[in-house]
Amino acid sequence: MILFLALITGILTTVGIFLILRRSLVKVILGLAFLGHAANMLIFTIGRITKGKAAFVPEGSLSPFEPFADPLPQALILTAIVIGFGVQAFLIVLFKQNYKSLKSDDLDNMNTTDML
Amino acid sequence: MAKFTLNLLLALMWLFLTGDFGIVTFIEGVVIGFGIIYLMEGVLGRSDYTKKAYRVLKLVIFFLWELLVSNFKVAAELLTSRFLSSPAIVAVPLSVKTDLQITLLANLITLTPGTLSIDVSEDKKFLFVHLMYGANPDKAIADIKSGFEKKILEVFE
Amino acid sequence: MFFEFAVNFSLAITGFSMFLVLIRLVMGPHTADRVVAVDLTTSIAIAFIALYAIKSNETYVLDAGLILGFVSFLGTVGYAYYLQLRSKRDE
Amino acid sequence: MSTLILRTAVKYIIPGMFLFSLFLLFRGHNEPGGGFVGGLVAAAAIILYTLANGVEKAEKMLHVSPQKLIAAGLLVALLAGITGWIAGKEFMTGIWLDLPIPVMGKFGTPVLFDIGVYLLVTGMVVKVIFTLADTREEGNQ
Amino acid sequence: MTLFQILIPFLVAPFVPLIGKKREGRELGIILAFIPFLLFISFLFEFINLKPATITPEIYQWIPSIGVDLAFRSDGLSLLFGLIITGIGTAVFLFAGGYLGKGMETVKFYIYILIFMGAMLGIVFSDNLLLLFIFWELTSFSSFLLIGFKHKYLASRYAALQALLVTGIGGLSLLAGVILINSVTGTFSISAIISDPSMLRESSLLVPIIILILGGAFTKSAQVPFHFWLPNAMEAPTPVSAYLHSATMVKAGVFLVARLNPVFTGIGLWNDSLMIFGGATMVVGAFLALKQTDLKKILAYTTLSVLGTLIMLTGYGSEIALTTMIVYLTAHALYKGTLFLTAGAIDHSTGTRDVRILGGLLKKMPFTAYAGIVAAFSMAGIIPMVGFVGKELLYETAMSGEPALFFGVLFAGVIMVYSAIQAGIHPYFAPEKETPLSPHEGDFTLTAGTVTAATMGLILGILASNLLTGMVSLAVSPVAGKTVDVSLGLWHGFNIILLLSLGTIIAGYGLYTVREKLYLLPQVYGPLEYLMPSKLYDKALNLLMFTARGQTSFFQNGYLRNYIITIFATALLLVGGYFFYHLDLTELVIDPSMEMYEAIAGVVIIAGAIIATVAKSRLYAVMALGITGLGVALVFILYGAPDLALTQLSIETLSVILFVLAIYKLPKFLKLSNRNSKIRDLIIASTMGVFITFVILAVYVHEHSTELKNFFAAESLPGGKGRNIVNVILVDFRAIDTMGEIMVLGIAAIGIFGLVKLVRKGG
Amino acid sequence: MMNILILLPLVIPFFGAVLTLFFREKITVQRTVFSVSSGLVFIVSLFLLDHVFTSGVFSVQIGGWKAPFGITFVVDKLSAIMISISGLMAFSTSIYSFGSIDAEREKFGFYTLLSTLFVGINGSFLTGDLFNLYVWFEVMLMSSFVLIALGGTKPQLEGAVKYVTLNLISSLFFLVAVGILYGIVGTLNMADLAVKIKTHQDPWLITTVALMFIIAFGIKSAMFPLFFWLPASYHTPPAVISAVFAGMLTKVGVYAMIRVFTLIFTNNPEVTNGVLIVLAGATMLVGVLGAAAQNDIRRILSFHIVSQIGYMIMGLALASPLAIAGAVFYIIHHIIVKTNLFLIGGIVNEIKGTFALNKLGGIYKAYPLLGLLFLIPALSLAGIPPLSGFWAKFSLVKAGFEAEAWFITGLSLFVSILTLFSMIKIWNEVFWKDLPEDVENIDKFSGFSTAKKRFLFIPVIILAVCTLIIGFFTAPFLMLPQVPHPNW
Amino acid sequence: MSEIILGSFLILGSLVILLAGLGVVKMPDIYLRMSATTKAATLGISVILISTGLHFGTTEIISRTILIVLFLMITAPVASHLLGRAAYLNKLPLWEKTVRDDLGDSLKNKQTTEQEQETN
Ligand code: NA
Ligand code: NA
């Protein structure tokens, strides 16, 4: 199952990078979202996974019974997801405004600020 | 009155959600429900909740039955690969008046066999329904009117 | 014994159904068709989750089912909103 | 996208969603949920309303401006942190009332913090949606 | 005391605007000339009372941690330079006021030149190499400001930049040398280094140190091949040329070489380099002076020649050579400063500096004429000028050396005479010609300085056996690193050297008579032109600009995907390369077992991922993202992370709504990338994917510490009062993370609002 | 008391941000809140400085949860210095903003965003937890995203796309690296990481992560070949925003790099420092050449940031105490100087309405004081003694020679002459040369109110004085940082 | 015993869902697809959810599953309506054998629109 998760993470990474290399800004944003998924999956997997048992303290007990999932990577991912959402929302709007001013979402039209 | 009912309903829902039917939870639910209704003031229209339990029940049972039947029909359709004949979009003249009634009708129609509500005319006089079997559209319209619409009208009488 | 089989079988069937729906997602042809597919996928996921709740005996999983219900509906409304704006734009 | 059916359905759905969102918020300390998801569900309810009725009506329904919600959320979170200082402990130390409350369990600054999160998340999402869905000024662009 | 003396000019500089705002230039000049003058007097007293045996450095702590102190040393060499700096300074200060007239520009001028003077004094009195370097750089920069004084002219700006770059490069070389010296000896103190040079002389870094130090000295003193900036620097106002580019700053390199001579003398590299470069500069400068018609250019090229001579003499290293160097240096400062100032006065009054149209000024500008003629005599080495003493010594030294150098010295000597006639005799005695302005003598500010300086040259010559001898012996000992007995005299009787002098004078005059033909000489011959250092400088700058543009448009090419590719390629090369190089595949834990429901979640994720890459419409791609999000949420559910699943699902949907609201206005289709780039991208992307996969597998080889997990589990309920450990982490254990996170959301909201609602025109 | 003080650099601007949110319509309130809060942060930072220099490192456990379980906030010499610089920057830019930011931007949350930006920056300096550092980075980045795009002009939007995308990629590398590190070691507390890494069975895996951090922080700090976002965007927003970014942001990346590579990843210096030194050299050179090719004040200055990041990385890579002290000194110096140069560029723009060299000229004649104020930071940047940049360069060169790193040291010297070249180019074109004849001679500045003029000049003067102070009274600053405390 | 009943229900529910899956693939136009799937999916999911609730047997869980079912029942048809309407507004082609189109007629009466055919 580690292999399975590792593979999925790898595929998400591949897709994410492939997408951010597209010319369409929408695809770039999607690519970043995919990379976000990949990062989350990576943290999730690499922080050691436990099948099925969430990190809850059952009623009548002071601590959870082993085995339970490591809650820390989950907390980190949650933070990362939410941050990612904020960033993605901003990116989407940035994209919208860019489209408004350029009438295009082609990144090849967005290089006036770099030119000599 | 309507708001009060809604408030109680919300409190009840709170009980369901928590799965704890104690009095404190109920009061908690009432308080929270009140807050929500306050927030939505002006949005909720007047609604009349009186004892129409029987008619509601009738409607529900009728609906569930129709739901079941519809699935068998679709199953038959798909499994036998019998090709559909003549679908159609028809305009069903509405007797129900209020938004809630129209919505209810539309939803029930959608959940039942071979019919799918697509739109309501702007004057709320027609419901456009897609029929899987539109060979005899007038019969279908009549079925709707005598089935769901009638029962809904009864409930809201 | 049978129940366990039933759960596994149902999991497999719902999974397969999701797969079928994904085929429609790919086939399209119109965006609205794809939206139907996405909506259905999320809906079926509710059943999947419920079945998994039984299998793993973890009831908290069902909360995800309720959320998924909201999400499915909200998403569909969003897509429909898009399609409607689109249709306006195209006129 | 004002269809009668959607409008009517939404009217009856969203009180439940609000309720559910608060439920998620308050029991999040003990079961799945918390300020984030709670806030997101509350925001989802408002979004539904917005999509069905337009921004203007949604603003009216909400009473407070989303920006204030954001500010309030941050403030509440900060206060939850500072309470630790007031109690003579470190920043963000959990200070608990010794009084059990149903669903929530106990009330303490971490719960207050979660409420801040809830407010902020709701405010944030709503603010964004209002901004994007607001077609009132589209005409002059 | 020395600190105070050096600080004075810096302290006065900020107040110049106050003094000068409403004053005539000459008044300002007179007032400010008191500063160099008073300093001159104070140095003079010090010089008179100097007892070489009792010199102790004056030290103030500055940055003790790196051994940089405000350390000063007033020995004969410093004081001689101090006298030149303040003495010529007095003349220049006086002159400039009248020359420049009233106005803000004059005020600026005095600020710059005060700073320069302070810096120059700093160089010569520093007993700390780094302090010396600081002042060194300050002279370069104030020189930059002064060369570019008439900055509205491109030529001025060009020359200023050139001088700054050339001396700047030299400065860096010097800095490197100084730091290396420090690394070897552990000190910056010049006294300490001189008193025990053995550590340095035996160091393995000796060669680079010498080269680096000479790099600094040679650029500053305009030695071949760095000489080209000096003639260009003549764009500066004439007082500047007189002061910086002949009398003082350009001699900083000579000073440095002289100052460090006791450390390095006797080392072949040191002496040979000085002789070769100095000799070459002497000859090249002299040769280039041949065809000049502009007074200032004539003076500039002969200055080059002299600077070369001075360096060469130091390289000679014998006592007599060093003595010669000091005398020659003093003489040069006096006559060249004067000649520059008279050139300025002539320019000021006639409106031209072209010797071909100057003439007959003897009567119209009698004082200037006096100063010019006396200085020219000194330059030509005619008795009884101090220049004569210098030249006699020079020939004497030259005769003891290599024949090549001897002829070089003679050649330069002839041209000195020739140039002296042109600059100091010709304008006064040649037939009068039409000049742009009708010539007249300026007021005393324009003449007092030159007359005094010229006369000083005369006096020093006449009093060679006592006054000059005293001065020179004090100054030469620090250069030689030992007490040198100096005995100078004006008259040595008729001897071969006198004969040589006579010969050069006659030859010089001879050249003067054929000057019209010399003016027509080409500057350089044939293909040599392409090797001219000034051409090379331009070429280097062009090459720099070409490279700069080329590499910038290569790297910063405007295409986001190229940037991204570069980043990932770098990551793959660095991180991936390192990783796979060390990865031991046999160690990996590969557990291919998989439950059916896991596979379903996997299929959902992968389906979404693949669709996203092939989707041809934006919304379709967005849906694909949603599908993947759903799959990821399922994975979270399967592995015990319900909170993650809830959040993931909600957020995924909200993102969809945002996308929908943002993109509905866009055209539906997008097909922008071509096939080749897709393949390239796929290769990069999948390599990265493989890397990530293997990293996960590699990390699984060893268990990690579960200390944190156990702590959170144990403390969640008792300490955090919650059963949902993830939530307790979020709102309690690591609440400050969450605090930052909600802040991000808040900022995003404000940003989005601002971005949409605030659209400014233009930009 | 210290346990409160240490958090104030975070809490004060946080509270300020909240206040400004509540007073959206009242610009005066927002201005006051922001400048007072940044002033307060500066004052607090002085107390922190005092404390670390008299009593040493101080740390606090957020929420009272002991390390490594809770999040640690640490103030040591390095972070105290960085905090004080950030306070100073916040304060001076606040004044400049009053004079230069348009009312619309002020209304649309400019001060809120600046506040949150500094929350993120200060958080990054103070935290002792690697993931928490990620969070503060994100706070900082998000604020900067908005600030760079706020106003929505076309160049801003175009620049923002690149800025945002590439920085997000950096964040992803950072996040992934932190995740992997947790997977390997099982902890996030920096000090704990340092301890646990030393005894780990797979040092090569740790080094892999270390290299990943080089990529992540390398992008953030605009290192070659990861710097592209910077020259693409830094010249697009209003001058004061460019100034804050130019001064603070990349330096936070370098700061993080110094933290991580002096504290955590010390196990394989041959590889990490080897990589860093090569990249440092390339960064210096590519940056300075990029600047040489530009013809716009802010673009020149932007490329120079890249170049000078190379110096800081060089110091880090040389890794001797002097080298690190030099790198830190370089950071301090560069923040002040570069911010000031951008502010001065902004004043030039206020006067003439452009940053383009070919449309400028004659400023020195009309505004000699501005010329002087330009020369101070410009020459400092080029390392002309005895200005601050010289001491930075000096320390690095000395460290380089001591490490016998001849090539990089020589390169650093060569690059400094090119820096001088660029600064003189600006000086020549903007200040010295006359206004080109085909350019309309406008002077918007003379029409400004006295208050506005003061708002523009005061911060420039403050920063110039700081540059002079650091240059002339270098001793305490050069000793200050030494090596970051190895054991928190 | 109850396990056998619940198990059967689960299987039944999943089969109904499979039906929806087949329907969405096989039906020729979007209206027919929705017609087929909305009810099938809703029914199937509801059956599975209720069975799940009964399996766990606590009020908490049962009430939770009932809530989900109710929510689905309310939203599913609304969603279908929205999509159907949107599809119609986007001029999605009806299946060629469609015999009658009142909605189209009513719209045509209101406005004349040029027919742009879009396939995506
Ligand atoms: Na649904
Ligand atoms: Na549905």
Side-chain angles (χ1 to χ4, degrees), chain B residues 12-48:
Chain B
L12 201 66
M13 185 182 159
W14 184 249
L15 294 184
F16 269 94
L17 278 170
T18 59
D20 172 12
F21 292 85
I23 182 71
V24 190
T25 315
F26 183 73
I27 293 168
E28 209 174 70
V30 170
V31 170
I32 290 170
F34 184 81
I36 291 168
I37 291 167
Y38 169 75
L39 277 175
M40 298 194 52
E41 211 167 22
V43 173
L44 296 163
R46 296 198 161 275
S47 45
D48 191 12

Side-chain angles (χ1 to χ4, degrees), chain D residues 36-118:
Chain D
F36 279 115
V37 193
L40 290 171
V41 170
I46 299 170
I47 292 172
L48 264 183
Y49 191 84
T50 312
L51 293 181
N53 298 284
V55 175
E56 231 166 315
K57 283 190 182 160
E59 277 173 350
K60 256 181 223 152
M61 177 192 77
L62 196 62
H63 294 284
V64 282
S65 85
Q67 173 144 348
K68 291 258 161 61
L69 278 181
I70 293 173
L74 288 173
L75 189 64
V76 168
L78 188 63
L79 287 179
I82 289 174
T83 311
W85 282 346
I86 294 167
K89 297 185 176 159
E90 300 295 3
F91 188 65
M92 299 211 112
T93 304
I95 310 293
W96 294 91
L97 289 178
D98 205 14
L99 174 77
I101 297 170
V103 180
M104 199 188 287
K106 285 181 166 176
F107 187 83
T109 50
V111 177
L112 189 66
F113 183 78
D114 226 7
I115 292 172
V117 173
Y118 176 91

Side-chain angles (χ1 to χ4, degrees), chain E residues 95 314 576 582 600 695-696 756:
Chain E
F95 182 90
T314 317
H582 287 88
I600 292 170
V695 165
I696 294 174
V756 171

Side-chain angles (χ1 to χ4, degrees), chain C residues 39 43, chain G residues 38 76:
Chain C
D39 180 40
S43 302
Chain G
T38 311

Side-chain angles (χ1 to χ4, degrees), chain E residues 62 112 133 151-152 172 182 545 548 551-552 556 558 570 578 702 704 707 732 734 737 740 747 750-751 760 762, chain F residues 65 102 129 131-132 139 146 151 162 182-183 196 202 225 228 268 286 289-290 292 364 390 398 413 432 472:
Chain E
W62 186 17
Y112 301 159
F133 171 76
H151 45 73
K152 65 175 178 174
L172 293 177
N182 175 258
M545 293 315 290
Q551 75 102 25
T552 308
Q556 196 74 31
T570 311
Y578 184 87
H702 298 292
H704 71 173
E707 203 188 343
D732 200 342
R734 296 183 65 95
D737 274 350
I747 302 161
I750 295 156
R760 292 175 60 80
Chain F
W65 301 106
D102 44 290
D129 183 286
F131 186 80
N132 195 241
V139 171
V146 180
K162 284 161 190 161
Y182 180 77
K196 288 202 168 113
D202 280 336
F228 309 108
N268 199 351
V286 169
L289 288 177
Y364 185 52
F390 170 71
K398 190 164 184 318
L413 286 169
W432 259 4
F472 284 99

Side-chain angles (χ1 to χ4, degrees), chain E residues 365-437:
Chain E
M365 303 177 72
F367 293 106
T368 306
Y370 160 78
I373 295 160
V374 171
F377 270 52
S378 188
M379 181 176 175
I382 291 170
I383 203 160
M385 303 297 160
V386 70
F388 172 76
V389 182
K391 193 157 80 172
E392 296 285 293
L393 282 166
L394 177 62
Y395 287 180
E396 191 183 335
T397 313
M399 282 174 66
S400 68
E402 300 283 319
L405 279 178
F406 175 70
F407 289 111
V409 167
L410 276 190
F411 172 69
V414 172
I415 298 195
M416 280 306 147
V417 176
Y418 160 66
S419 298
I421 298 169
Q422 277 189 300
I425 312 286
H426 176 95
Y428 311 107
F429 294 102
E432 194 175 337
K433 287 186 183 145
E434 186 74 16
T435 51
L437 302 172

Side-chain angles (χ1 to χ4, degrees), chain C residues 36 39-40 43 72 76, chain G residues 37-39 41-42 72 75-77 79-80:
Chain C
V36 172
D39 180 40
L40 203 53
S43 302
S72 157
T76 309
Chain G
T37 60
T38 311
K39 36 229 105 171
T42 312
L72 278 180
T75 58
S80 298

